[in-house]
Amino acid sequence: MKLIRHGLRGAEKPGLIDASGTLRDLSGVVPDIAGTVLGRDSMRRLAALDPAALPALPTDTRLGACVGAVGNVVCIGLNYADHAAEAGLKAPGQPIVFNKHSGAISGPADEVWLAPGSTKLDWEVELGVVIGEPAFRISEAEALDVVAGYCLVNDVSERAYQIEYEGQWTKGKSYPTHCPIGPWLVTPDELGDPQAVDLWLDVNGQRRQTGSTRTMIFGVARIVSYLSQFMALQPGDVIPTGTPPGVGMGQKPPVFLQVGDVITLGGAGLGQQRQTVVPTPGR
């Protein structure tokens, strides 16, 4: 099952994509793709629906972030050994954890804003994990049972804010529009093995990232279990799980995004995103 959120930004409605690729409206069934709707029982009810009985949507309908009312975006850094190497850093012995502010979330085809004075805007294609059940101090064996589904995430990063300013990474990760999510939330049964997902990203039509979750240092089950030892994960929490090599700061010489650049990215079973970099409106 592929779940979506559609409509104007800030007023998105729930929906799904049927087997033929038709967008269908779910607003008469559930209030949003968020919170308790992501729980096991609710997801089973959605899977049992006849999509043909749901209203069809126009093909040009805007898709928003595929999860609504996200409480936390908890990210994993340097989770691919070859990405750590291109950053000149040692592969971690434990997951590196940081946050993106939920105000950074945007839709898969929304514009990405360049901050005033920013010169080191970067891209990162990632597998996102969406939590469906409360999870606190769970084992790795239990971890995948609390996952509602998976999605594509572009962990857009302002490297100067992240690395050259004092403190933690969060301020380099949290600018508005710097967390495109979607186009859809794919359920675990449809995606299959989360450790066998191919990922890619292009900038202006040039391939920059090619990778696979097979080469993650810490797999999804380890990540979810590990995080639950330190925090009570909640339905709707999104966990971007790290990026493969090929980010802008790892190019020789480094290459960063500028106004007018177009980012396209995708993953097997996860769909595709496309963003254009624009100045921050009104700033």
Side-chain angles (χ1 to χ4, degrees):
M1 183 167 57
K2 295 184 177 77
L3 298 173
I4 60 171
R5 298 174 68 248
H6 62 91
L8 297 176
R9 182 164 187 157
E12 290 91 348
K13 298 178 180 180
L16 60 75
I17 302 177
D18 68 20
S20 70
T22 300
L23 306 182
R24 301 279 182 175
D25 181 48
L26 274 173
S27 58
V29 181
V30 291
D32 201 355
I33 306 300
T36 57
V37 170
L38 297 166
R40 282 187 287 267
D41 292 342
S42 175
M43 295 289 271
R44 288 193 195 101
R45 289 192 291 270
L46 292 180
L49 294 173
D50 176 10
L54 301 170
L57 299 167
T59 56
D60 62 350
T61 296
R62 173 190 175 269
L63 297 183
C66 58
V67 185
V70 176
N72 298 284
V73 183
V74 187
C75 305
I76 305 299
L78 300 177
N79 197 26
Y80 291 73
D82 38 10
H83 171 52
E86 74 174 352
L89 299 169
K90 181 181 177 181
Q94 296 184 35
I96 293 176
V97 180
F98 64 94
N99 284 82
K100 288 177 84 80
H101 192 283
S102 60
I105 292 172
S106 60
D110 291 345
E111 295 171 333
V112 165
W113 295 355
L114 184 72
S118 169
T119 60
K120 295 184 178 180
L121 189 65
D122 208 343
W123 57 82
E124 294 189 22
V125 60
E126 307 201 8
L127 170 70
V129 177
V130 179
I131 300 299
E133 299 282 344
F136 180 57
R137 298 192 65 81
I138 61 171
S139 67
E140 286 189 42
E142 301 170 292
L144 296 185
D145 292 336
V146 306
V147 174
Y150 302 91
C151 59
L152 193 65
V153 178
N154 188 356
D155 177 17
V156 181
S157 306
E158 211 302 329
R159 300 299 189 189
Y161 297 174
Q162 177 189 354
I163 298 169
E164 298 170 19
Y165 286 47
E166 294 182 2
Q168 300 300 313
W169 290 0
T170 300
K171 58 181 170 285
K173 300 282 189 171
S174 297
Y175 201 73
T177 75
H178 286 192
C179 189
I181 296 177
W184 56 65
L185 173 67
V186 59
T187 50
D189 61 302
E190 184 158 339
L191 181 72
D193 185 357
Q195 304 309 145
V197 178
D198 294 329
L199 300 169
W200 61 269
L201 182 145
D202 294 348
V203 179
N204 299 328
Q206 180 178 355
R207 183 59 45 92
R208 292 294 189 179
Q209 288 187 275
T210 302
S212 171
T213 58
R214 295 177 185 86
T215 65
M216 287 167 58
I217 299 170
F218 308 106
V220 172
R222 172 73 187 282
I223 289 168
V224 173
S225 173
Y226 182 86
L227 292 176
S228 79
Q229 309 308 308
F230 306 100
M231 60 192 77
L233 297 170
Q234 301 298 315
D237 285 351
V238 177
I239 306 170
T241 56
T243 196
V247 299
M249 72 173 180
Q251 307 292 314
K252 299 186 185 306
V255 176
F256 295 110
L257 295 165
Q258 301 178 24
V259 169
D261 284 346
V262 176
I263 316 158
T264 51
L265 56 148
L270 302 175
Q272 297 186 22
Q273 297 185 1
R274 184 182 189 278
Q275 298 108 28
T276 302
V277 180
V278 301
T280 300
R283 300 292 177 182

